[in-house]
Amino acid sequence: MVARVIPVEDFDLVIFGGTGDLARRKILPGLFHRYLAGQIPREARIVGAARSEMDAEGYRAFTREALQEFAPNSCKDGGQVEAFLAMLSYVAIDARGDGGWTELAGLMRPDVVQAFYFSVAPALFGDLAERLHGHGIATEASRIVVEKPFGRDLESARQLNRGLAEYFTEEQIYRIDHYLGKETVQNLMAVRFGNVLFEPLWNAQFVDHIQVTVAETVGVGGRGEYYDKSGAMRDMVQNHLMQLLCLIAMEPPSKFDPDAVRDEKLKVIRALDPVAPEDIVRGQYRAGEDGPSYLEEVGDPRSTTESFIALKVHVANWRWNGTPFYLRTGKRLRARMSEIVVVFKEPPHSIFGDDAGRSANILTIRLQPDEGMTLQVTIKEPGPGGMRLIDVPLDMSFAEALGESGNQMPDAYERLIMDVVRGNQTLFMRGDEVEAAWAWTDPLIAGWEARRDKPQAYHPGTNGPEDSLMLLHRDGRRWRDLEA
């Protein structure tokens, strides 16, 4: 099977923060991959914009090094590398002053798609929007891409939304969450709404519970100062896990249309019940053989910020009444993995008797490290000697099922940037969606701050705090093991 590549139209893309870590690791290599795939036309222009004093040749040298480090297997054809680098320009820009804006205006073409990627701190979003408008660079057809974190609470998110809305309409704003660009996340919608096998069973009558896990083996590292002001709740749950929850729980939209999909996601967020204190587990990793503790990495021995959080969540609507959603995410855990696990209920009556054993169907959707899906089904154990039931997986990894094209799936950023050029907002968050997520999150954070709850210490390389295991054990359930 060969993946079909649909070229996009000619465009100008300005990357504010063009010398930053995200541009170096993801944006520039991703654009290069799309160019190699034939999706980006040779006429397209990519402009880096940052504070650093640099000319176009300097930026091309910077990009060449980034490609060699983060896309080494794609750089074997030196001619293709040079052709891509020829598309690049650079402007030294003052985000809060007038320096560089006239030069940037001179590089923009009025007859192509214009997109501006704000790969900068949220504090600069409003300044960039104001100057793009004030210098006559942005048009009514221009698009802006804004990175997370989009606020740190409801009020700051509203302020950011208001600041951008002064200069751009909601249809021009693309709030990016790279988790929604993953192939498996989009396949979740295809599995649900494209197969009659699943959607009739996708409700509280047949689903016992759902688990969403995003686990990392690394600590906060060099992000300690930022992370200690955010924590796992703000950094992961409010955006990444919330988006996954919405796609799992939402009603079928009337059509695969940006606003139809986002309308249904918004309904899920607004249907979330408040979470009781006993259904929240927070943790901090201790020091281990391979690294310091969380408190040592952030440089604050009194910090009460969580590096791990687990929640038991309920969606208060007819479809999901009584079915819990268990969410967990954390750092310095046993394995790096992200997955969604849908555990179906056991048959109401077993005709085989207790000796045969009992089991349940489980649909596992793996986001990383190996994207794919596994459906656990029950069969008879082979051999003579009576009826004994065992569980076996129907396994589909993209690498195996799709052959060579399965190994060449676009990175999430690649897909999302191409969607910006196409003008497709389906996989991007809408302003009211972001605010609704913060409206649910803020009371949870305020609650544990008022109670002065302290995170529970946990050993690196484990499944997290002991209390997170009890979160499911007391309901007669258990977490899926963390396995790479």
Side-chain angles (χ1 to χ4, degrees), residues 348-425:
H349 171 70
S350 174
I351 66 173
F352 304 111
D354 294 337
D355 292 342
R358 300 181 67 86
S359 55
N361 300 126
I362 299 174
L363 176 65
T364 303
I365 303 164
R366 298 189 304 272
L367 280 65
Q368 64 183 24
D370 178 24
E371 292 192 56
M373 299 188 186
T374 300
L375 177 62
Q376 179 177 297
V377 297
T378 301
I379 66 168
K380 175 190 175 293
E381 183 178 27
M387 179 69 70
R388 292 184 301 275
L389 304 180
I390 60 172
D391 294 327
V392 297
L394 298 178
D395 196 349
M396 191 281 283
S397 74
F398 291 140
E400 295 175 0
L402 302 182
E404 186 64 24
S405 63
N407 289 316
Q408 299 175 354
M409 290 295 175
D411 177 80
Y413 277 99
E414 298 177 37
R415 181 187 313 279
L416 294 173
I417 293 173
M418 292 300 95
D419 279 352
V420 173
V421 176
R422 293 191 187 96
N424 185 347
Q425 290 185 308

Side-chain angles (χ1 to χ4, degrees), residues 4 15 69 73 101 107 112 114 149 169 183 215 240 252 274 282 322 338 348 376-377 411 423 440 462 466:
R4 187 161 58 104
I15 307 171
E69 183 176 359
N73 295 330
W101 291 98
L107 293 173
V112 301
Q114 293 182 355
T169 65
E183 189 72 23
H240 297 329
R282 299 164 63 238
S338 299
Q376 179 177 297
V377 297
D411 177 80
W440 177 79
T462 65
E466 288 294 324

Side-chain angles (χ1 to χ4, degrees), residues 57-75:
E57 281 305 314
Y59 193 59
R60 290 172 188 139
F62 167 86
T63 303
R64 184 183 291 108
E65 292 178 1
L67 298 182
Q68 290 171 350
E69 183 176 359
F70 297 105
N73 295 330
S74 303
C75 294

